[in-house]
Amino acid sequence: AQSVTQLGSHVSVSEGALVLLRCNYSSSVPPYLFWYVQYPNQGLQLLLKYTSAATLVKGINGFEAEFKKSETSFHLTKPSAHMSDAAEYFCAVNQGFQKLVFGTGTRLLVSP
Amino acid sequence: NAGVTQTPKFRVLKTGQSMTLLCAQDMNHEYMYWYRQDPGMGLRLIHYSVGEGTTAKGEVPDGYNVSRLKKQNFLLGLESAAPSQTSVYFCASSYIEEDTGELFFGEGSRLTVL
């Protein structure tokens, strides 16, 4: 069964610092992988997705993620954190029929 | 454009009571889903539907029933609520074309079972 593991339930950074949120996947076939973001009291929205077209994927709000098959990873990065990036981030893998399996989430805290 | 709308947004139930959560989407999506979100557990799929009149079980279906009588609506029912069903429930929908996993989410329904 396909699954994803997010390392770190909380990540704290200073404004302007690099953001790195980790996600490792387990899949027997080439996966479709996603990062979603959830702002307080809202639903999830898609940040970016990997569908095998390119290993480096750029998303909204300056985020990007790199698919590394050798490391079974799909880590999310942003060069410079902004206060508005504070949210919870979920990695997910597609099981088919658009059924997504989500990781447990990483809450990003950004301090001034 | 409303997207995905969930009602009610908040509800408090007593153990054993029943209720229905309504999800409506205006994007003509074929696929619809119900997830529950619990602290430290991410989102878990309860039930889903790949078209009008169809439903299927997800990862955690016990204690829930669903119906998709109209393409735009997906109902989640709790016949006899239990405290373990205290959670935030999210409905989502998606296109049938391109199995890319882009889901459109509602804003959630917070349910407390006492």
Side-chain angles (χ1 to χ4, degrees):
Chain A
Q2 296 171 316
S3 64
V4 290
T5 301
Q6 292 184 242
L7 300 176
S9 58
H10 292 79
V11 170
S12 295
V13 300
S14 299
E15 193 172 20
L18 171 72
V19 175
L20 171 61
L21 305 183
R22 300 177 186 274
C23 174
N24 289 89
Y25 69 89
S26 172
S27 174
S28 58
V29 297
Y32 286 171
L33 293 162
F34 312 86
W35 277 99
Y36 278 79
V37 60
Q38 183 181 31
Y39 298 103
N41 299 314
Q42 294 187 24
L44 281 69
Q45 60 186 93
L46 182 67
L47 259 184
L48 50 80
K49 60 186 178 185
Y50 167 75
T51 57
S52 76
T55 56
L56 182 63
V57 181
K58 295 187 183 298
I60 61 173
N61 301 336
F63 284 93
E64 63 182 34
E66 186 173 9
F67 175 75
K68 292 187 176 180
K69 186 177 179 179
S70 61
E71 299 177 7
T72 62
S73 68
F74 190 56
H75 301 332
L76 181 70
T77 60
K78 181 174 181 178
S80 178
H82 192 273
M83 295 295 290
S84 60
D85 295 327
E88 190 156 20
Y89 293 80
F90 292 91
C91 183
V93 63
N94 190 348
Q95 281 192 320
F97 290 114
Q98 311 276 50
K99 290 186 300 175
L100 299 189
V101 176
F102 287 88
T104 52
T106 298
R107 185 168 299 279
L108 177 65
L109 307 170
V110 183
S111 57
Chain B
N1 191 349
V4 178
T5 303
Q6 295 181 226
T7 53
K9 289 186 170 39
F10 300 93
R11 184 74 187 269
V12 178
L13 288 178
K14 295 181 179 179
T15 297
Q17 287 184 320
S18 63
M19 74 158 296
T20 299
L21 297 177
L22 170 64
C23 176
Q25 53 96 2
D26 61 3
M27 297 173 282
N28 202 34
H29 286 169
E30 288 291 335
Y31 295 170
M32 296 187 74
Y33 315 81
W34 277 107
Y35 284 89
R36 60 177 289 173
Q37 182 179 24
D38 302 291
M41 303 188 75
L43 279 80
R44 293 178 292 167
L45 182 63
I46 305 171
H47 286 281
Y48 66 101
S49 168
V50 298
E52 181 178 316
T54 75
T55 63
K57 295 180 180 180
E59 181 185 355
V60 288
D62 295 341
Y64 305 95
N65 57 75
V66 288
S67 64
R68 183 102 181 265
L69 298 179
K70 294 182 178 181
K71 185 178 183 179
Q72 63 268 33
N73 296 337
F74 195 29
L75 279 64
L76 178 71
L78 286 71
E79 291 185 346
S80 180
S84 61
Q85 294 177 305
T86 293
S87 186
V88 181
Y89 293 86
F90 286 97
C91 177
S93 67
S94 71
Y95 294 105
I96 193 171
E97 293 84 12
E98 299 182 13
D99 199 15
T100 59
E102 181 166 5
L103 270 58
F104 295 81
F105 283 84
E107 294 189 343
S109 297
R110 185 176 295 275
L111 175 65
T112 301
V113 182
L114 302 175

